[in-house]
Amino acid sequence: MYEDLKIVLWPDPRLKKVSKPIESFDLDLKALAGRMFELMREAKGVGLAAPQVGKNVRLFVMNPTGEPDDDRVYANPVLTDGEGEEESEEGCLSLPEIHVNVVRFKQMKMTAQDLDGQPVEEAASGFVARVWQHELDHLNGTMLTDRMGPVARMAARRTLKDLEERYREENPKSETRKTKQAQSSRSK
Ligand code: NI
């Protein structure tokens, strides 16, 4: 039922929404997560959040090592106890060709639910904690573009412009003015 889903690219407005909590832990949710894993693998990514396939629900999938048994999925994730800071480069499947240095917490704790609605509690540091923070950003409508400093924004200017043009071509009825307003009213 989710075969038609694909990864949506910035500046699709669905990427800028705050996603809603998941309430039904049903077969539908499992199918969505399964399709997200598929799309993530096809794109050779390490993580993918539901808004990136156009679904504004609080769910993300990840696989930090690429090993088949290292698939992880989190519903309604909450991050706490951030400690330390680390700057590292990040990319995003919804922002092809863009790489941004982002400062993140080095360690974090997460409480979430699995696909059956059972509570999950984990702690992580380094790369895994970074992926958590990146994917949680997606669930709150925050993209790497919101984490860019002026220099990074300047460097990415051409690529962002191309993505905007591509979006307009593929969505001729979209109101770019609205998109711009939404962007400028963002708090980050
Ligand atoms: Ni991303």
Side-chain angles (χ1 to χ4, degrees):
M1 88 201 1
Y2 288 119
E3 302 87 61
D4 293 342
L5 285 191
K6 54 185 182 120
I7 295 176
V8 301
L9 303 184
W10 184 92
D12 190 299
R14 290 169 290 184
L15 291 167
K16 297 170 187 173
K17 282 190 186 160
V18 176
S19 289
K20 294 209 166 71
I22 287 167
E23 285 163 6
S24 307
F25 294 85
D26 50 14
L27 287 175
D28 191 87
L29 184 68
K30 291 180 174 77
L32 174 60
R35 179 64 180 141
M36 285 167 62
F37 274 118
E38 235 171 60
L39 288 167
M40 180 185 81
R41 265 188 249 289
E42 274 171 29
K44 301 195 191 328
V46 292
L48 189 68
Q52 292 182 276
V53 297
K55 298 284 172 196
N56 284 112
V57 292
R58 302 188 80 78
L59 175 77
F60 75 81
V61 302
M62 64 182 280
N63 186 316
T65 58
E67 299 296 326
D69 60 357
D70 204 14
D71 279 353
R72 307 175 191 199
V73 54
Y74 304 97
N76 301 328
V78 176
L79 292 178
T80 58
D81 300 271
E83 271 181 51
E85 275 185 8
E86 208 165 43
E87 184 173 306
S88 190
E89 198 180 78
E90 293 181 18
C92 180
L93 295 178
S94 295
L95 277 166
E97 290 172 53
I98 301 256
H99 301 276
V100 188
N101 279 321
V102 187
V103 177
R104 302 279 191 190
F105 285 118
K106 230 183 207 167
Q107 300 176 35
M108 294 230 74
K109 284 183 183 160
M110 158 132 62
T111 54
Q113 285 166 282
D114 66 16
L115 292 177
D116 295 313
Q118 295 304 308
V120 174
E121 254 189 79
E122 289 177 20
S125 60
F127 184 64
V128 169
R130 176 168 294 272
V131 176
W132 285 357
Q133 291 167 83
H134 179 109
E135 301 309 332
L136 203 88
D137 266 0
H138 277 301
L139 304 186
N140 293 326
T142 299
M143 297 278 295
L144 286 182
T145 44
D146 303 302
R147 302 246 177 237
M148 280 177 174
V151 176
R153 186 167 286 277
M154 198 63 147
R157 201 175 43 175
R158 184 71 246 172
T159 312
L160 293 177
K161 223 178 162 160
D162 289 347
L163 283 168
E164 271 174 347
E165 271 166 30
R166 177 172 166 179
Y167 181 78
R168 270 200 296 268
E169 275 164 26
E170 288 172 6
N171 303 273
K173 283 181 187 155
S174 73
E175 287 179 51
T176 39
R177 227 187 120 210
K178 234 181 196 169
T179 310
K180 278 196 181 129
Q181 273 171 354
Q183 264 174 304
S184 60
S185 68
R186 298 193 49 77
S187 56
K188 292 223 173 51

